[in-house]
Amino acid sequence: MSEHKKSLTEVFNASPYPLAGHGKRNMQVLKNVFEQIDGSTDSDMYGKGAVIEQFEQRMAAYLGKPSAVFFPSGTMAQQIALRLWSDEAGNPKVAYHPLCHLEIHEQDGLRQLHRLEPVLLADKDRLITLEDVKQLQEPIACLLLELPQREIGGQLPSFEELAELSAYCRANGIKLHLDGARLFEVTPYYGKSAAEICELFDSVYVSFYKGIGGIAGAVLAGETPFTEQSKVWKRRHGGDLISLYPYIVSSEHYFNERIGKMALYYEQAVELASLYNEIEGVSTRPEVPVSNMFHVHIQYGKEQTEAVLAEVCSETGVGLSSYARELGERQCYYEVSIGDRYSLAPKADVQKAFQLLGEKLSKLSR
Amino acid sequence: MSEHKKSLTEVFNASPYPLAGHGKRNMQVLKNVFEQIDGSTDSDMYGKGAVIEQFEQRMAAYLGKPSAVFFPSGTMAQQIALRLWSDEAGNPKVAYHPLCHLEIHEQDGLRQLHRLEPVLLADKDRLITLEDVKQLQEPIACLLLELPQREIGGQLPSFEELAELSAYCRANGIKLHLDGARLFEVTPYYGKSAAEICELFDSVYVSFYKGIGGIAGAVLAGETPFTEQSKVWKRRHGGDLISLYPYIVSSEHYFNERIGKMALYYEQAVELASLYNEIEGVSTRPEVPVSNMFHVHIQYGKEQTEAVLAEVCSETGVGLSSYARELGERQCYYEVSIGDRYSLAPKADVQKAFQLLGEKLSKLSR
């Protein structure tokens, strides 16, 4: 019989101590929620009803905005936000980072469906600065900022820089939209409430399946005329489902469970990143995380690195990553997002895993 | 204390024997499903994974098409289908009925998002015929037919007419798309399988929360290059959610539970419509239903009719409708869709309700 060599993903998924995430994305995540729900609770109906309206009001208050709308996805919510600001300005140009979700993960929906004309600001490996905005050669309707900028490891401007950017946009008739897919996760670093951060923005999107660990779903918040118009576009997109409650109820459940843990996840990310940065040929981006996430850059090829990660995982039970992604010929990286699982791994095993990782990498040829 | 006069909706919702629908749209509908699911079952991930792929394959086979894609909504699925046929033909014109869902319930998404140019065929009160298509003054990329035509009570062409329409479209380079929101419900009348009906169409959408009674969700089926392209647009629309399983699993659960009951619902609709048609000033549309649904037209004003319906409901426990909709000054109507609840109403009570309805209406001034 041929022996099947297990892939890194298989080894990671079977490991007792994976260091990233809250847990497996299986149906227990939904079952946990609905076991506690009274079955006689009415469904929402096409955006109306207590279950959706109460959660929208709660999130509006949490984000410090007059109104909020629940969406099935951030893809839908953000395209619509930019479309509304563009229509209001009578200008199809909107600006965002070259690695913005809309630019790289949405099959160009913003251009194909909304005919907007994105202007890419900054380089792929750094954040957008006030200078970038000042140097724009043409008027834009809206600037989208993602906090933290996920595709470069979850980097953040300082709160002072952010306030300056916001003031400049307000003074120059540019609407500022927050891609807050991981907004909850950066509040501990800023030492600000979500509402204090959102005050700098005209519209805000947040997600419920990153740090919150829900099933799917998003909220778009802003002034009431803006959110009311967003509901019309939600219908046009096919997102005004007869029932969104499976996502709403689970979003609220896991929001309640985890919103108070964001500081813990952040501290744990800082701790874990420091372990990586002690190893020769390994560095994290950012070096000191500013949220629950960071990227691990490794100065060896993807195949070699995955083999080492699989060995470390098999020998210690500690899952560092389920994959590595190629980044040039002799370099690779992966993303780490801290969730509930990090606390479950015994410190001694984590230490042993990092010792082994260092030893095994040092034996590889660069 | 002031006495609150109960609305028809309140009386209907509290009645022991509502004659329409499967039951209340509350969260028990989801709980029933997930109580039976093994929590260790993996979620789908952005359209991939066993839970979504297996259901898509099953529905493709059921509809007799090579491939199928699960969508969160029919609004999204159908706009995308028409967009694909339009792009393929290089022609923005698509034809459908004036009371088509895309025309009256989607905030004009087809024009606003896809820039398609719908051509309205037939009058508002009748079905599209082959003559209508032959008399088109301009080429169209696609014709959408809704079976049954919901907004006129759920009417159907004969299967022979449908086959002629299909043959004409094929001979003339017109793609034929089926709005099969209630396709399952018309198979008993046609005496055909879903696949035999779908064979006449190039693309097919079906829904899982009408006769099937699921929570939300739809499938779009057709040739594989078509469905593969539809996935790209699903992503663009913001419908390619990380997890759609709450809708997929519930769709399959209730499909299994109710697909075999469509003939029963149809026969019960015929029975119930005949009771209505015995009453002076009341008629159903169609007179003899061809699916589980029909419209009840009443030759009295909305307010009077709702008062009578509430009295009948209070006195007999039989809920005929939760509303009536104005249709001119001295006319109103409502829709009835038969589901599981019809079988639960004692025949004697139903008879008494219709006797009372006749008596009370006859006392009203026209």
Side-chain angles (χ1 to χ4, degrees):
Chain A
M1 280 175 54
S2 76
E3 204 176 310
H4 168 66
K5 172 130 176 130
K6 280 189 181 153
S7 73
L8 172 57
T9 306
E10 287 170 314
V11 175
F12 178 89
N13 285 340
S15 69
Y17 304 121
L19 296 189
H22 295 305
K24 291 197 198 307
R25 281 192 68 87
N26 63 27
M27 297 192 191
Q28 194 60 42
V29 178
L30 185 77
K31 284 172 71 92
N32 288 342
V33 177
F34 281 87
E35 272 163 16
Q36 296 175 33
I37 293 291
D38 178 350
S40 70
T41 312
D42 283 337
S43 171
D44 52 313
M45 286 286 281
Y46 298 113
K48 304 237 183 275
V51 63
I52 188 165
E53 290 170 21
Q54 286 173 8
F55 186 58
E56 286 174 343
Q57 284 158 19
R58 182 178 174 194
M59 291 314 304
Y62 188 84
L63 299 171
K65 297 294 181 197
S67 182
V69 180
F70 192 87
F71 277 83
S73 74
T75 296
M76 195 182 292
Q78 295 207 107
Q79 284 183 27
I80 289 171
L82 298 195
R83 172 64 180 261
L84 288 173
W85 294 136
S86 164
D87 280 359
E88 186 179 291
N91 180 354
K93 296 206 186 289
V94 294
Y96 53 57
H97 193 271
L99 297 178
C100 174
H101 196 276
L102 289 96
E103 190 64 15
I104 64 173
H105 290 307
E106 303 183 6
Q107 293 279 4
D108 223 12
L110 193 71
R111 291 181 184 86
Q112 297 283 339
L113 286 170
H114 292 286
R115 315 269 166 125
L116 298 198
E117 298 170 17
V119 177
L120 304 184
L121 282 186
D123 300 325
K124 284 192 178 184
D125 58 1
R126 66 164 176 87
L127 293 172
I128 293 173
T129 65
L130 178 56
E131 274 314 298
D132 295 319
V133 185
K134 284 185 175 170
Q135 283 169 19
L136 274 165
Q137 302 296 310
E138 51 198 341
I140 55 168
C142 176
L143 170 64
L144 177 151
L145 289 183
E146 183 185 350
L147 302 182
Q149 195 77 45
R150 184 249 180 123
E151 299 290 346
I152 52 174
Q155 298 184 40
L156 277 184
S158 72
F159 195 77
E160 293 64 36
E161 284 175 280
L162 200 58
E164 280 171 28
L165 260 163
S166 171
Y168 179 84
C169 286
R170 283 195 180 151
N172 288 275
I174 300 169
K175 295 293 180 182
L176 194 58
H177 171 77
L178 171 55
D179 178 341
R182 294 165 184 79
L183 170 67
F184 305 129
E185 294 86 326
V186 301
T187 50
Y189 170 78
Y190 277 143
K192 303 279 182 187
S193 70
E196 286 170 317
I197 300 168
C198 293
E199 203 284 320
L200 302 176
F201 293 84
D202 298 291
S203 56
V204 176
Y205 139 72
V206 292
S207 172
F208 298 101
Y209 65 91
K210 279 81 180 189
I212 299 296
I215 293 164
V219 147
L220 181 64
E223 299 288 328
T224 305
F226 172 88
T227 56
E228 284 302 306
Q229 281 179 287
S230 81
K231 291 180 185 174
V232 174
W233 284 102
K234 177 179 162 188
R235 171 64 62 103
R236 288 174 179 155
H237 266 252
D240 189 21
L241 304 194
I242 183 168
S243 300
L244 280 168
Y245 73 80
Y247 300 134
I248 299 164
V249 171
S250 47
S251 292
E252 183 150 32
H253 177 100
Y254 290 110
F255 181 86
N256 291 340
E257 186 168 309
R258 299 198 175 110
I259 193 65
K261 295 186 181 175
M262 295 297 153
L264 174 66
Y265 301 150
Y266 161 54
E267 288 157 18
Q268 291 173 331
V270 170
E271 175 181 280
L272 184 60
S274 78
L275 292 175
Y276 276 113
N277 286 313
E278 283 167 20
I279 298 176
E280 178 76 20
V282 178
S283 60
T284 68
R285 195 172 178 189
E287 191 182 339
V288 180
V290 291
S291 71
N292 72 323
M293 74 165 288
F294 56 87
H295 284 185
V296 179
H297 286 248
I298 299 188
Q299 303 298 322
Y300 296 97
K302 167 192 158 74
E303 307 293 331
Q304 290 177 303
T305 300
E306 288 197 337
V308 164
L309 290 170
E311 285 171 28
V312 169
C313 189
S314 296
E315 292 174 34
T316 65
V318 175
L320 296 174
S321 177
S322 64
Y323 73 96
R325 201 164 288 151
E326 208 170 87
L327 199 72
E329 208 185 329
R330 290 260 169 97
Q331 205 183 339
C332 66
Y333 84 103
Y334 54 86
E335 184 173 289
V336 175
S337 292
I338 298 294
D340 290 345
R341 295 201 287 203
Y342 185 83
S343 299
L344 306 176
K347 294 284 175 209
D349 293 346
V350 174
Q351 235 170 0
K352 193 174 158 209
F354 274 89
Q355 191 191 323
L356 268 179
L357 178 67
E359 285 171 18
K360 285 172 187 287
L361 286 178
S362 71
K363 288 179 193 151
L364 297 177
S365 59
R366 286 235 192 148
Chain B
M1 280 173 52
S2 76
E3 202 176 313
H4 167 68
K5 173 132 176 133
K6 281 189 181 154
S7 73
L8 172 57
T9 306
E10 287 171 316
V11 175
F12 178 89
N13 285 340
S15 69
Y17 305 121
L19 297 189
H22 295 304
K24 291 196 200 307
R25 281 192 67 88
N26 62 28
M27 298 192 191
Q28 194 60 42
V29 178
L30 184 76
K31 283 171 71 90
N32 289 341
V33 177
F34 280 87
E35 273 163 15
Q36 296 175 34
I37 294 290
D38 179 350
S40 69
T41 312
D42 283 335
S43 171
D44 53 313
M45 286 286 281
Y46 298 113
K48 303 240 183 274
V51 63
I52 188 164
E53 290 169 21
Q54 285 174 6
F55 186 58
E56 287 173 343
Q57 284 158 19
R58 181 177 174 195
M59 291 314 303
Y62 188 83
L63 300 170
K65 296 294 180 197
S67 182
V69 179
F70 192 89
F71 278 83
S73 74
T75 296
M76 195 182 291
Q78 295 207 107
Q79 283 183 25
I80 289 170
L82 298 195
R83 172 65 181 260
L84 288 173
W85 294 134
S86 164
D87 280 357
E88 185 178 291
N91 180 354
K93 296 207 185 287
V94 295
Y96 52 57
H97 193 272
L99 297 179
C100 174
H101 196 276
L102 289 96
E103 190 65 15
I104 64 174
H105 290 308
E106 302 182 7
Q107 293 279 4
D108 224 13
L110 193 70
R111 290 181 184 84
Q112 297 282 340
L113 286 170
H114 292 287
R115 316 268 166 125
L116 297 198
E117 299 170 16
V119 177
L120 305 183
L121 282 185
D123 301 324
K124 284 193 177 182
D125 58 1
R126 66 165 177 85
L127 293 172
I128 294 171
T129 64
L130 177 56
E131 274 314 297
D132 295 318
V133 185
K134 284 185 176 170
Q135 284 170 19
L136 274 166
Q137 301 296 309
E138 52 198 339
I140 55 169
C142 176
L143 170 63
L144 176 151
L145 289 182
E146 183 185 350
L147 302 181
Q149 195 77 45
R150 185 250 181 121
E151 298 290 345
I152 52 174
Q155 298 184 40
L156 278 183
S158 72
F159 194 77
E160 292 64 37
E161 284 174 282
L162 200 58
E164 280 171 28
L165 262 163
S166 171
Y168 180 85
C169 287
R170 283 194 179 152
N172 288 275
I174 299 169
K175 295 294 180 182
L176 194 57
H177 171 78
L178 171 55
D179 178 342
R182 292 165 184 80
L183 170 66
F184 305 129
E185 294 86 325
V186 302
T187 51
Y189 170 78
Y190 277 143
K192 303 279 183 189
S193 70
E196 285 170 318
I197 300 168
C198 293
E199 204 286 319
L200 303 176
F201 294 84
D202 298 291
S203 55
V204 176
Y205 139 72
V206 292
S207 172
F208 298 102
Y209 65 92
K210 280 80 180 190
I212 298 297
I215 293 164
V219 147
L220 180 64
E223 299 289 327
T224 306
F226 172 87
T227 56
E228 284 302 306
Q229 281 180 284
S230 80
K231 291 179 186 174
V232 174
W233 284 101
K234 178 179 162 188
R235 171 64 62 102
R236 288 175 178 152
H237 266 252
D240 189 20
L241 305 194
I242 183 167
S243 299
L244 280 167
Y245 73 81
Y247 300 133
I248 300 165
V249 171
S250 49
S251 292
E252 183 150 32
H253 176 101
Y254 291 110
F255 181 87
N256 291 340
E257 186 168 309
R258 297 197 176 112
I259 193 65
K261 295 186 180 176
M262 295 296 152
L264 175 66
Y265 302 150
Y266 160 53
E267 288 157 19
Q268 291 174 331
V270 170
E271 176 182 280
L272 184 60
S274 78
L275 292 174
Y276 276 113
N277 286 312
E278 283 167 20
I279 298 177
E280 178 75 21
V282 178
S283 60
T284 68
R285 194 173 180 187
E287 191 182 341
V288 180
V290 292
S291 71
N292 73 324
M293 74 165 288
F294 56 87
H295 284 185
V296 179
H297 286 249
I298 299 188
Q299 303 298 322
Y300 296 96
K302 167 192 158 74
E303 306 293 331
Q304 290 177 301
T305 300
E306 287 198 336
V308 165
L309 289 170
E311 286 171 28
V312 169
C313 189
S314 296
E315 293 173 34
T316 66
V318 175
L320 296 173
S321 177
S322 64
Y323 73 96
R325 200 164 289 151
E326 207 169 87
L327 199 73
E329 207 185 331
R330 290 262 169 94
Q331 205 182 341
C332 66
Y333 84 103
Y334 54 86
E335 183 172 289
V336 175
S337 291
I338 298 294
D340 290 346
R341 295 201 287 204
Y342 185 83
S343 300
L344 306 176
K347 294 284 174 211
D349 294 344
V350 174
Q351 235 170 358
K352 193 174 158 207
F354 274 88
Q355 191 192 323
L356 268 178
L357 179 67
E359 286 171 18
K360 286 173 187 290
L361 286 178
S362 70
K363 289 180 192 149
L364 297 178
S365 58
R366 287 236 192 147

